[in-house]
Amino acid sequence: MARPRTFDEDSALDAAMRTFWEKGYEATSTQDLCDATGLGRSSIYNTFKSKHDLFERALARYVDSMTTAQLAVLEDARRSPVDRLRALFAMVVDGETGAERRPGGRGPGCLTVNTTVELVARDPRAAEMLDRDTRRRLTVLRAVIGEGQRDGSITSRREAGALARFVNAAIAGMRVSSQGGADRAALESLADIAMDALTA
Amino acid sequence: MARPRTFDEDSALDAAMRTFWEKGYEATSTQDLCDATGLGRSSIYNTFKSKHDLFERALARYVDSMTTAQLAVLEDARRSPVDRLRALFAMVVDGETGAERRPGGRGPGCLTVNTTVELVARDPRAAEMLDRDTRRRLTVLRAVIGEGQRDGSITSRREAGALARFVNAAIAGMRVSSQGGADRAALESLADIAMDALTA
DNA sequence: TTGATTATGGATAGGTCGGTACAAAACTTG
DNA sequence: CAAGTTTTGTACCGACCTATCCATAATCAA
């Protein structure tokens, strides 16, 4: 019916996502996005309504793929609850130290934490997206932890919900530490100690 | 000898600090800084070399006062090591939930974490300042934890240095959680569980 | 081939950015 | 009071910001 696109929208979203992740929302200019995606301004503004719309879609793509990958680990019925939590932490450590940088395994820092810190106070849409994502993760974390509490491998001194929030916060702490310069061994140590709190 | 200033430099730094803390470095314009400080552009550029210089000085003021207040708690010889760590966490919780927002007890989020996430990858000077501050805190944390290990109140399963980094990361995790919407009870719960890891 | 429709590139608009120039104002010292 | 020095307010600079406009290119249905 008309002239077709010469680019893949998802690839463009990935490129934009990487840029927002590296520089942050404010520090990323539309020119940066053109450079990163290889698209002209017209194509970007024709495909996405605005810089902010592009950011929202990139963020949505990021949190969904990231959380989906994490939940797959947490829902792996072949492993014990404690094993699954260890695997989750290992995934975060790999993501923070890994050379390859694909959705679900990003380089230092993560777009979720970055956006929480940079934008959540001023951007209700981003805040809502991140809030939904957090609730999604907490639900599954709580279930895994509850399972571990029932089989005795995870402490029952604390509520499952509280422990789930702790795991979430521990991961955020690891990500901030990573940006602050912590190496792989340091991150693994943080994960080990966080696990101590769960199994104590 | 000449016309004197009609403003207090430290008050201006405080106002600037608050603005950078609320909006982030990139999102803060020089006009915002004029509005916040009540100063004209000339006065700002006459007193500080540039926006970045003003930011550096505001950040230096923030981290120093914040860390000094925290170290005072950690070095209070009248309390036991565990008590001092609990007091540190309580201080962080108060800072994140407190109504009054003065250096050493900021509102949600903290400039240290915010700057780590937003700037450290691109701003070597800020990175260096934060790194020094982290080392300063870790040194004292390690000493307190080592003391607790010797008297048996803190676990010896992990190295004091590793536990110190954990406490630091736990605080960062609490601050990110706070920006993500965690209330006081949730933050206190995070602190309690972090303490479990130390006393296990 | 033609007409309709969409994508693309380049130019540009209107505004804001960080930073500066300059003259008037306000103070200290002699 | 006068000379000297610094602060302050205003106007302004070029660069860059997000976003749009428009002419041209490319494609599909008929």
Side-chain angles (χ1 to χ4, degrees), chain A residues 1-4 29-30 41 45 51:
Chain A
M1 179 110 154
R3 180 174 175 178
S29 69
T30 54
R41 309 179 88 65
Y45 277 93
K51 174 186 171 184

Side-chain angles (χ1 to χ4, degrees), chain B residues 1-4 28-31 41-42 45 50-51:
Chain B
M1 179 111 155
R3 179 174 176 177
T28 297
S29 69
T30 53
Q31 187 57 50
R41 310 178 83 65
S42 297
Y45 278 92
S50 63
K51 173 186 172 184

Side-chain angles (χ1 to χ4, degrees), chain B residues 42-124:
Chain B
S42 297
S43 298
I44 286 188
Y45 278 92
N46 186 40
T47 310
F48 311 99
K49 285 189 303 223
S50 63
K51 173 186 172 184
H52 192 269
D53 179 62
L54 173 51
F55 174 75
E56 279 182 33
R57 293 185 50 183
L59 178 61
R61 196 172 152 81
Y62 177 85
V63 297
D64 183 64
S65 64
M66 181 73 120
T67 298
T68 297
Q70 292 187 353
L71 295 199
V73 169
L74 287 177
E75 286 167 338
D76 180 352
R78 297 167 306 183
R79 299 181 185 217
S80 72
V82 166
D83 254 25
R84 283 180 249 168
L85 293 173
R86 281 196 204 287
L88 173 63
F89 280 122
M91 197 170 179
V92 171
V93 171
D94 283 346
E96 295 295 327
T97 59
E100 38 122 9
R101 319 206 145 154
R102 325 184 55 223
R106 245 113 277 286
C110 95
L111 193 55
T112 302
V113 169
N114 295 3
T115 303
T116 299
V117 169
E118 185 187 358
L119 284 184
V120 142
R122 288 174 295 133
D123 184 337

Side-chain angles (χ1 to χ4, degrees), chain A:
Chain A
M1 179 110 154
R3 180 174 175 178
R5 298 221 158 113
T6 60
F7 66 92
D8 176 47
E9 195 167 309
D10 284 341
S11 307
L13 274 177
D14 277 344
M17 183 185 80
R18 242 183 293 268
T19 309
F20 283 126
W21 158 67
E22 282 168 14
K23 312 184 63 162
Y25 177 76
E26 298 287 353
T28 296
S29 69
T30 54
Q31 187 57 49
D32 291 332
L33 294 167
C34 292
D35 296 346
T37 59
L39 304 181
R41 309 179 88 65
S42 299
S43 298
I44 287 187
Y45 277 93
N46 187 38
T47 309
F48 311 99
K49 284 187 305 219
S50 63
K51 174 186 171 184
H52 192 268
D53 179 63
L54 172 52
F55 174 75
E56 279 182 33
R57 293 184 51 183
L59 178 61
R61 195 173 153 81
Y62 176 86
V63 296
D64 183 64
S65 64
M66 181 73 120
T67 299
T68 296
Q70 291 188 353
L71 295 199
V73 169
L74 286 178
E75 287 168 337
D76 181 351
R78 297 168 305 184
R79 300 181 185 218
S80 73
V82 166
D83 253 26
R84 283 180 250 169
L85 293 173
R86 281 197 205 288
L88 172 64
F89 279 122
M91 198 168 177
V92 172
V93 171
D94 284 346
E96 295 297 325
T97 59
E100 38 122 7
R101 320 207 144 152
R102 326 186 54 224
R106 243 136 251 297
C110 95
L111 192 54
T112 302
V113 170
N114 294 3
T115 303
T116 297
V117 169
E118 186 187 357
L119 284 184
V120 143
R122 287 174 296 132
D123 184 338
R125 320 247 333 222
E128 223 261 291
M129 291 177 57
L130 294 180
D131 202 51
R132 285 174 61 89
D133 180 63
T134 299
R135 288 200 303 271
R136 185 179 167 211
R137 276 207 318 281
L138 285 182
T139 299
V140 176
L141 272 174
R142 196 160 35 227
V144 172
I145 288 169
E147 194 182 329
Q149 287 178 320
R150 282 190 291 279
D151 73 22
S153 58
I154 290 178
T155 181
S156 293
R157 288 168 53 192
R158 307 287 181 188
E159 287 178 20
L163 292 174
R165 288 194 300 273
F166 172 77
V167 169
N168 214 49
I171 289 172
M174 287 168 65
R175 298 201 134 123
V176 174
S177 297
S178 171
Q179 284 195 320
D183 60 15
R184 168 173 273 267
L187 295 180
E188 285 171 346
S189 157
L190 291 177
D192 288 342
I193 299 173
M195 285 301 300
D196 287 350
L198 300 180
T199 54

